[in-house]
Amino acid sequence: MPNSGGPRSSRRKLYAHVVDTILLLYGAPIWSTAAQKRAYIRQAESAHRRACLRVIGGRPHVSYEATYVLAGIPPLALLADERARLYSRRREDAKDEERLATLSKWQEAWDRSTKARWTHRLIQNIRTWIERRHGELNYHLTQLLTGQGFFKHHSQRYDHNQSAQCPVCPTSIENAEHVFYHCPRFSGERETTCPTARGHDAGKHHQAHARERAKLARSCFLRPLGRDRTEGRRNGQKRMTRRCG
């Protein structure tokens, strides 16, 4: 599935659950103890992570921790351990209890981790994020939530000759926080993401707010990209003119 376009994130999540259930978690009560050793579960976890990346429309360099949290799908080792506990209990009412136990372990690991701290700053409570009833992730919104995308601070990691300074604010680093909260380039779009909730239904307000955040994310990324593509076409036309001349 492509990062941009295609099925929405909730449907992609359904596909990921199918992959986990049929392929990765088959016989989990038997091999779950082996999952405690990193070397044994590495290949299966890689496939699990790729499925989660498709859910959020993320790039390959997004950390494992942020990928799982944004997708709302626990790490494979925790899922296998949950299946093993359910198999030993064999009670219909145990599913919710074991899922809460899995979320508790996942939350502890998320708080202890030293990676994806920008994502942790935005999404501190995993259960609240998973149980939300509004908003769909997309390629652009994922870049905001991970801080990895078309930001000069992030691009400098792969191109050391590129400056990380914001072109409008020379004294500031162009990262996710600066672009979405401080940079004057997007002040107009930023104002539309803070509508007042007075006189509106709370659920509808959250849904509208999520749509506005996604719109801001698209505008922040598509505007510079559109300019770069236009300049690229102009340069190409100039080169063709020189050759023909």
Side-chain angles (χ1 to χ4, degrees):
M1 288 181 289
N3 283 337
S4 182
R8 59 181 182 269
S9 60
S10 56
R11 186 159 297 178
R12 291 173 180 235
K13 187 175 181 179
L14 176 61
Y15 298 156
H17 282 309
V18 173
V19 172
D20 287 341
T21 303
I22 298 178
L23 299 178
L24 300 180
L25 293 175
Y26 180 78
I30 300 175
W31 57 263
S32 60
T33 54
Q36 297 176 1
K37 291 188 177 181
R38 186 72 176 175
Y40 293 158
I41 199 174
R42 186 172 299 168
Q43 290 185 344
E45 189 176 30
S46 177
H48 177 65
R49 176 175 176 265
R50 284 198 298 270
C52 292
L53 280 174
R54 298 280 66 78
V55 173
I56 66 176
R59 295 182 166 195
H61 47 249
V62 177
S63 67
Y64 278 66
E65 293 83 355
T67 300
Y68 297 147
V69 170
L70 291 179
I73 302 176
L76 187 62
L78 292 180
L79 289 176
D81 184 57
E82 179 183 312
R83 289 292 183 91
R85 297 196 308 269
L86 286 172
Y87 181 78
S88 62
R89 296 183 64 176
R90 296 186 180 182
R91 287 171 46 192
E92 295 182 358
D93 60 341
K95 187 173 182 179
D96 293 338
E97 296 178 8
E98 295 300 340
R99 176 45 59 101
L100 290 177
T102 298
L103 290 177
S104 178
K105 294 180 180 180
W106 189 13
Q107 182 68 54
E108 292 177 1
W110 178 236
D111 293 335
R112 291 196 311 266
S113 176
T114 58
K115 298 181 179 180
R117 292 300 87 187
W118 166 251
T119 307
H120 183 272
R121 178 179 170 183
L122 299 176
I123 305 174
Q124 298 182 4
N125 191 303
I126 296 177
R127 184 177 178 183
T128 302
W129 169 257
I130 293 176
E131 295 179 353
R132 76 190 190 283
R133 295 184 177 273
H134 62 276
E136 293 276 354
L137 280 178
N138 56 39
Y139 176 63
H140 305 290
L141 192 56
T142 295
Q143 294 183 50
L144 160 66
L145 297 175
T146 60
Q148 300 184 10
F150 293 101
F151 305 108
K152 289 191 173 183
H153 175 68
H154 177 70
S155 300
Q156 192 183 36
R157 298 170 55 185
Y158 308 98
D159 184 2
H160 298 290
N161 295 324
Q162 182 176 350
S163 173
Q165 303 296 324
C166 176
V168 178
C169 313
T171 60
S172 301
I173 300 296
E174 188 187 82
N175 53 22
E177 180 178 5
H178 175 72
V179 167
F180 283 89
Y181 294 112
H182 307 294
C183 187
R185 281 181 293 172
F186 310 105
S187 58
E189 292 87 348
R190 195 178 298 116
E191 291 177 358
T192 62
T193 63
C194 301
T196 57
R198 293 191 299 269
H200 294 81
D201 179 74
K204 294 181 179 179
H205 167 67
H206 287 309
Q207 293 176 4
H209 196 40
R211 287 194 296 268
E212 292 296 339
R213 286 199 303 268
K215 187 186 299 183
L216 173 61
R218 287 194 298 270
S219 65
C220 289
F221 292 115
L222 293 181
R223 186 190 299 177
L225 282 177
R227 183 178 65 250
D228 294 342
R229 289 172 180 171
T230 302
E231 292 176 355
R233 286 195 295 268
R234 290 175 180 172
N235 294 334
Q237 291 174 357
K238 291 180 181 179
R239 287 194 294 269
M240 289 296 294
T241 303
R242 294 194 191 100
R243 292 176 183 176
C244 295

